[in-house]
Amino acid sequence: ILHYTQPGDIVFDGFCGTGMTGVAAQLCGSKSDVDTLNEKGIKIGVRHAVCSDLSPIASLISASYNLIFNPEEFKKKASAILEQVENELGWMYETDVNGKKAKINNTIWSDIFVCPSCGKEICLWDESVDAEKQIIKDSFPCPHCGTTCSKKNMDKAWESSYDNVINKVTNLNKKKPVKINFTLNGKRGEKIVDSNDIELLERINQLENDSLRTSKLKEGYNTAQPINSNGIEYTHQFYTKRAFIYLSRVFELAKDDISLKTWITSVLFST
């Protein structure tokens, strides 16, 4: 853009995607940079971008990335929200380590499969992961009957439970938490999930919150896999109950601030 345009020029991108052309145009400089040269002798200064896309989500993302906002004010608001939610819900991400409360950074969940021979459940992590050698085995003997098992010849186990977010019984792939990465006194560590961790998750799963909102997935190419393979029919099912509650509270406090909502939705990961 610097090479082919001059300060004040209009840059048009009719297939803008996430709006990086607009971001690049803004990075070319400001109005005060007119007639200023960079190290390559090219004039820097503001270029005016016009971005368009047929995709509604692309247009939304593009517009959000190109918003003009005060970074210091944004940082202050975002930090205040995180601090408030941590004070309210931080207990959901605590684990006991040698009698001390540590902060959970992340939890590894394992799929549960069914042995093709004896029909008993197998925790994939327990049988296929060798932590010492840092490898994942392609096949392993069933801990119940000794039959050679792999992801290719096993089916996933399914579990029915009552979902109080949508007030109905759901049938999802069975999973279990197996390992926790935590921080204690400024140092990271790992531990095997214990009974206290399971009790905490069960307590959280029983919580009812009328402010929680979810949406039913629409049938389509990208939703076929989670619907057919995992039983996921609603957006909240991509998250654990505690992650969904935590993130929902953050989103609630963002209110109608477009910068805060863009920040939250752009960093979301299902967990």
Side-chain angles (χ1 to χ4, degrees):
I1 293 174
L2 280 172
H3 182 80
Y4 288 104
T5 67
Q6 296 297 315
D9 282 356
I10 295 175
V11 180
F12 174 73
D13 187 350
F15 307 92
C16 67
T18 57
M20 291 303 103
T21 296
V23 173
Q26 292 191 55
L27 292 175
C28 287
S30 63
K31 291 181 180 179
S32 62
D33 293 323
V34 177
D35 295 329
T36 302
L37 303 180
N38 65 10
E39 66 277 3
K40 295 183 179 179
I42 298 174
K43 284 186 179 182
I44 62 174
V46 65
R47 272 73 166 170
H48 305 288
V50 176
C51 298
S52 176
D53 200 287
L54 288 176
S55 167
I57 187 62
S59 298
L60 173 64
I61 294 171
S62 178
S64 299
Y65 274 138
N66 285 279
L67 285 174
I68 297 176
F69 72 106
N70 186 317
E72 289 302 321
E73 182 181 352
F74 164 78
K75 182 179 179 181
K76 183 178 180 180
K77 289 181 179 179
S79 297
I81 289 176
L82 293 178
E83 183 177 358
Q84 180 175 340
V85 178
E86 180 62 21
N87 289 335
E88 294 175 0
L89 304 173
W91 59 271
M92 292 184 176
Y93 285 90
E94 290 180 345
T95 186
D96 184 81
V97 178
N98 298 324
K100 298 180 180 179
K101 290 293 183 183
K103 180 59 63 176
I104 296 174
N105 298 316
N106 56 70
T107 302
I108 296 176
W109 290 71
S110 174
D111 285 322
I112 305 298
F113 286 82
V114 177
C115 174
S117 179
C118 67
K120 292 184 178 180
E121 293 184 352
I122 299 173
C123 175
L124 187 64
W125 175 275
D126 293 343
E127 305 306 322
S128 68
V129 174
D130 188 326
E132 291 185 1
K133 295 181 180 179
Q134 296 185 334
I135 60 171
I136 299 177
K137 304 171 187 175
D138 292 328
S139 61
F140 50 85
C142 170
H144 308 292
C145 68
T147 298
T148 299
C149 297
S150 70
K151 290 180 68 175
K152 294 181 179 180
N153 69 358
M154 295 188 300
D155 291 325
K156 288 184 177 181
W158 292 77
E159 181 177 44
S160 295
S161 61
Y162 182 75
D163 188 328
N164 59 21
V165 175
I166 53 177
N167 294 318
K168 62 183 288 189
V169 175
T170 59
N171 192 33
L172 300 171
N173 286 157
K174 192 172 184 179
K175 301 177 186 293
K176 122 180 192 182
V178 292
K179 201 169 187 178
I180 290 174
N181 181 287
F182 63 85
T183 296
L184 179 62
N185 297 327
K187 295 182 179 180
R188 280 181 174 259
E190 292 185 337
K191 58 167 283 191
I192 302 299
V193 171
D194 58 36
S195 59
N196 290 327
D197 299 313
I198 298 297
E199 183 180 338
L200 174 63
L201 289 171
E202 290 177 347
R203 180 154 63 98
I204 293 171
N205 285 336
Q206 297 303 315
L207 292 177
E208 295 187 8
N209 189 328
D210 293 336
S211 66
L212 298 178
R213 297 290 180 266
T214 187
S215 299
K216 190 173 179 64
L217 298 183
K218 295 182 179 180
E219 292 187 8
Y221 180 81
N222 289 320
T223 57
Q225 194 275 334
I227 292 174
N228 299 327
S229 300
N230 300 287
I232 293 175
E233 296 182 343
Y234 293 84
T235 52
H236 76 282
Q237 294 172 327
F238 285 104
Y239 302 89
T240 60
K241 183 66 175 290
R242 65 180 169 191
F244 183 62
I245 292 174
Y246 202 102
L247 291 170
S248 293
R249 182 58 175 148
V250 173
F251 195 77
E252 181 183 18
L253 292 174
K255 299 181 180 178
D256 293 325
D257 189 311
I258 187 64
S259 296
L260 291 174
K261 284 190 172 182
T262 299
W263 156 59
I264 296 167
T265 56
S266 65
V267 298
L268 285 180
F269 290 94
S270 60
T271 175

